[in-house]
Amino acid sequence: MLPHKLLTTIAVAALATGAVAGCATTTTSTHPAAASQQNPLTQLVSDVTGSLQKAASSTGTVTSVDLSMTGTSGGVRITGTGAIAFQPLKADLNVVAGTTGTTTVRIVDSVIYVKLPAAQQSRMMGKTWLKLSAASSSLFGSASRQLQDVNPVDQVKTLLASGSAVAVGQETINGVPTVHYRATTSVDTALKQVDPKLRDLVKSAYDKAGVKEITTEIWIDAQYRPHRAHVLAGTLTDLTVDYRDFNKPVTVSAPPANDTLDLSHALPGLGA
């Protein structure tokens, strides 16, 4: 039987990219002011709620995105890069957590494939990849929902949920002029945005780390597209995700079948 550590690694790989969305929070309006025709970002600064509502209503305009992330989660250094398409869901992500090496996560045709670091492959029956399908396990639903939440426009909706965001100012992110928003919320409020199946696990992690509040920041351009998101949860999480190359085609290939171990067969009862 595969060790429990393999499942933990899958969770880290899938949830690390969804951490910003899962822990996000807040927004309301600041002082209104007249928009300047010379600077299209002025309206985003002067009308926080209205601007974020426009950003949230433009979900359909972001069909795919490249991303990179860096920071810490649970005291572990995390970096990652990849691309995600949202309709239908496809993903190709590479995540490095601590010193364990690179974990690759691919989603294609309603199947999640995970390639673990070489040091963790010794008990995989000679295979390189793990397979987790929607048909064989409810874990697929949780992981795919977390990855859907990485859609940067959907994160704006989460910001709108609590109603206390402010515009920090105008900043350039990766060469793109943006407006920087920030909001702080309680853990209880943030937990309402987490997948119910994962809520107890996330709450336990917050409680153990003594996290009382969560600060979320997001940077939005004049087309109402987020280019950066950052979440800070005490000493537990300090993670930044950058978004680039919106709406480019995402091509993901399944690994060779003869080099893949079906996790639902290796762990009977996983679907329950």
Side-chain angles (χ1 to χ4, degrees):
M1 180 177 291
L2 295 174
H4 173 74
K5 188 172 184 179
L6 296 182
L7 292 178
T8 303
T9 304
I10 292 174
V12 169
L15 299 181
T17 54
V20 176
C23 301
T25 59
T26 82
T27 72
T28 52
S29 186
T30 59
H31 44 7
S36 167
Q37 293 182 349
Q38 286 73 33
N39 186 351
L41 297 179
T42 300
Q43 182 67 21
L44 279 78
V45 174
S46 63
D47 182 9
V48 175
T49 297
S51 297
L52 289 175
Q53 286 173 341
K54 287 182 180 180
S57 67
S58 64
T59 301
T61 66
V62 177
T63 59
S64 66
V65 68
D66 284 2
L67 61 85
S68 60
M69 60 180 160
T70 183
T72 59
S73 180
V76 177
R77 180 71 178 173
I78 292 176
T79 59
T81 58
I84 299 179
F86 299 104
Q87 295 296 334
L89 181 62
K90 294 189 292 184
D92 190 354
L93 305 167
N94 292 290
V95 179
V96 178
T99 60
T100 59
T102 300
T103 296
T104 299
V105 179
R106 294 181 186 173
I107 297 183
V108 57
D109 297 332
S110 297
V111 178
I112 295 178
Y113 298 95
V114 180
K115 182 180 181 181
L116 298 172
Q120 298 181 10
Q121 293 180 13
S122 60
R123 299 180 67 183
M124 287 178 55
M125 306 177 190
K127 308 295 185 181
T128 302
W129 292 84
L130 298 175
K131 175 182 177 181
L132 186 64
S133 67
S136 63
S137 174
S138 60
L139 286 179
F140 177 91
S142 292
S144 61
R145 280 192 297 273
Q146 292 297 317
L147 289 170
Q148 285 281 13
D149 284 344
V150 177
N151 188 327
V153 177
D154 284 347
Q155 293 179 36
V156 180
K157 295 180 180 179
T158 310
L159 280 175
L160 281 165
S162 88
S164 64
V166 297
V168 177
Q170 299 181 36
E171 300 176 17
T172 298
I173 301 298
N174 299 318
V176 179
T178 70
V179 171
H180 176 188
Y181 299 98
R182 179 185 295 138
T184 299
T185 189
S186 67
V187 167
D188 288 343
T189 299
L191 285 172
K192 294 177 183 178
Q193 308 302 321
V194 176
D195 184 337
K197 293 182 179 180
L198 301 172
R199 199 167 289 161
D200 289 345
L201 178 65
V202 175
K203 184 179 185 305
S204 175
Y206 285 153
D207 290 345
K208 185 176 180 179
V211 176
K212 302 298 182 184
E213 62 183 21
I214 298 168
T215 297
T216 300
E217 299 172 278
I218 198 162
W219 288 255
I220 296 177
D221 70 9
Q223 285 73 50
Y224 302 101
R225 298 179 305 188
H227 284 261
R228 174 173 290 173
H230 172 244
V231 61
L232 177 64
T235 60
L236 182 64
T237 299
D238 185 352
L239 193 65
T240 299
V241 182
D242 281 1
Y243 302 99
R244 301 178 179 86
D245 296 331
F246 294 90
N247 301 336
K248 286 189 174 182
V250 175
T251 301
V252 185
S253 300
N258 61 3
D259 195 24
T260 301
L261 175 64
D262 191 327
L263 197 56
S264 62
H265 295 162
L267 296 178
L270 184 63

